[in-house]
């Protein structure tokens, strides 16, 4: 099935028995079985079935199956948020004393999470993205996984996933990729060698900001060894399903950050237009970023779709159909950044990405507030930087909004000097 067909039809088998064209919302905390033996078998994982929504729910399964198909994996686990999916993805394999090596260009929440993991004896080394020497030097005896974002948020560096997966596998390490900013419409990291993909489905997958959620998908190809990943010992008998089996039986189930059925349904409604939205959003981002760069050369526009981006070649090689729908602009000072944001009438000041509507934010004072000065610099966050998540509006209205705001910001500049 091609992408735009799969977003509508993949993974709905067995969910609906009356012909409904959308998966029904199984708004139930628990599910009865006809016999005590039946319930025992489900608890023993001997037969498929549902018992309790924290563990599994048919509407959530429908969402998981669709993402599994779109990302090209063997199974997915949906979680209460993107951060829950990332936490589960790590905690399923790590124990105290283990190390993570990650690209430094990351979403601020993920940087914060790595900090939180220090208290549990899990140490993270941050390195410059796509710098193979730096990655090699950071890998030690206790390294257990490599992590990066397909397109760093908000650094907008594009990870060479094939290169990074080859490096990871040369050291017998799994590569976990956060594909939130690109989505499976632009790239399928598992096909390029990544082992596990995580997505904050709160963003493009849901698409209209109606629910927070996250999901992780296993490619099923990494061979876990019990010496390196003792926490997986009991699950290695499941072969390629070892990672997901432990997730379902232990970490995901017991941490309890499950996805609500209603939110799985909202994602299933939203995802139907993922291809259409991404197509328009990528076009709009390229149009708006190019227009700003041409008309305001004093503004530094960063967008993988522009030839001026150091990541343009990797983006062109790796991403299908477009360059993503997020760009950043450096306008000269924090005051100017705030003035420009305040003058925008259409673009909303929102700490989110991937909405149908165009959103702007000043990362340094918001999503990266808890990062140190060094972490901010490594993640490409500057005092004068605005991040723009481009929506599906008519491009003429977007250009006009930025034009009038830029002109007013110029006036502000003259007044204040
Ligand atoms: C938003 C985001 C997350 C976190 O997802 P939530 O659903 O907000 O928990 C993780 N990674 C990236 C790249 C994001 O943009």
């Amino acid at each position: 099935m091609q992408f735009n067909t799969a977003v509508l039809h993949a993974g709905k088998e067995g969910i609906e028995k009356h012909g409904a064209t959308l998966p029904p919302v199984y708004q139930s905390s628990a599910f009865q079985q006809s016999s005590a033996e039946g319930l025992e078998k489900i608890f023993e994982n001997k037969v498929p079935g549902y018992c309790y929504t924290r563990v599994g729910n048919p509407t959530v399964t429908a969402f998981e199956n669709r993402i599994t198909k779109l990302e090209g994996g063997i199974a997915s686990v949906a979680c209460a948020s993107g951060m829950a999916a990332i936490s589960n993805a790590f905690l399923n394999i790590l124990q105290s004393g283990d190390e993570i090596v990650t690209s430094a260009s990351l979403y601020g929440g993920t940087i914060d999470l790595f900090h939180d993991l220090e208290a549990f004896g899990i140490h993270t080394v941050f390195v410059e993205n796509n710098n193979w020497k730096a990655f090699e030097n950071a890998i030690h005896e206790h390294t257990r996984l490599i992590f990066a974002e397909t397109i760093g948020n908000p650094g907008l560096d594009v990870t060479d996933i094939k290169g990074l997966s080859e490096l990871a596998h040369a050291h017998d390490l799994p590569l976990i990729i956060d594909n939130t900013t690109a989505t499976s419409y632009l790239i399928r990291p598992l096909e390029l060698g990544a082992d596990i993909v995580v997505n904050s489905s709160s963003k493009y997958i849901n698409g209209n900001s109606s629910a927070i959620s996250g999901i992780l998908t296993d490619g099923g190809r990494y061979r876990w060894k019990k010496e390196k990943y003792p926490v997986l010992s009991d699950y290695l008998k499941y072969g390629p399903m070892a990672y997901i089996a432990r997730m379902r039986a232990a970490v995901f189930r017991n941490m309890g950050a499950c996805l609500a059925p209603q939110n799985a349904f909202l994602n299933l409604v939203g995802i139907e237009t993922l291809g259409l939205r991404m197509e328009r959003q990528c076009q709009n981002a390229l149009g708006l970023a190019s227009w700003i760069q041409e008309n305001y050369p004093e503004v530094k526009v960063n967008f993988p779709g522009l030839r001026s981006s150091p990541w343009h070649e990797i983006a062109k090689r790796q991403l299908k159909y477009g360059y993503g729908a997020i760009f950043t602009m450096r306008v000269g000072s924090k005051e100017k950044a705030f003035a420009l944001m305040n003058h925008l009438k259409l673009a909303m000041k929102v700490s989110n990405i991937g909405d149908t509507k165009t959103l702007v934010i000043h990362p340094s004072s918001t999503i990266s507030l808890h990062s140190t000065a060094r972490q901010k610099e490594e993640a490409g966050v500057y005092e004068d930087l605005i991040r723009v998540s481009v929506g599906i509006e008519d491009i003429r209205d977007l250009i006009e909004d930025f034009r009038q705001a830029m002109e007013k910001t110029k006036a502000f500049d003259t007044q204040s000097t």
Side-chain angles (χ1 to χ4, degrees), residues 81-83 86 107 149 153 178 180 200 202-203 212-213 353:
S81 68
M83 290 318 301
I86 296 172
Y107 172 70
E149 293 176 4
N153 175 14
D178 180 338
T180 303
S200 165
S202 319
K203 316 292 171 54
I212 296 291
S213 65
I353 55 169

Side-chain angles (χ1 to χ4, degrees), residues 202-204 207-209 281 288 325-327 341 344 346-362 386-393 398 401-402:
S202 319
K203 316 292 171 54
Y204 293 99
N208 41 52
S209 302
Q281 284 172 282
L288 186 59
I326 301 169
F327 70 87
M341 286 174 65
L344 287 167
L346 211 54
M348 301 162 87
K349 290 167 277 294
V350 174
S351 95
N352 195 9
I353 55 169
D355 199 325
T356 43
K357 302 164 193 88
T358 296
L359 315 176
V360 293
I361 198 168
H362 179 252
I386 298 173
R387 184 189 69 190
V388 186
S389 170
V390 183
I392 61 171
E393 296 93 341
L398 289 177
D401 194 29
F402 277 79

Side-chain angles (χ1 to χ4, degrees), residues 259-277:
L259 180 58
Q262 183 69 39
N263 287 352
F265 173 76
L266 291 170
N267 289 346
L268 283 162
V269 173
I271 203 169
E272 295 198 336
T273 55
L274 179 60
L276 282 174
R277 282 184 282 110

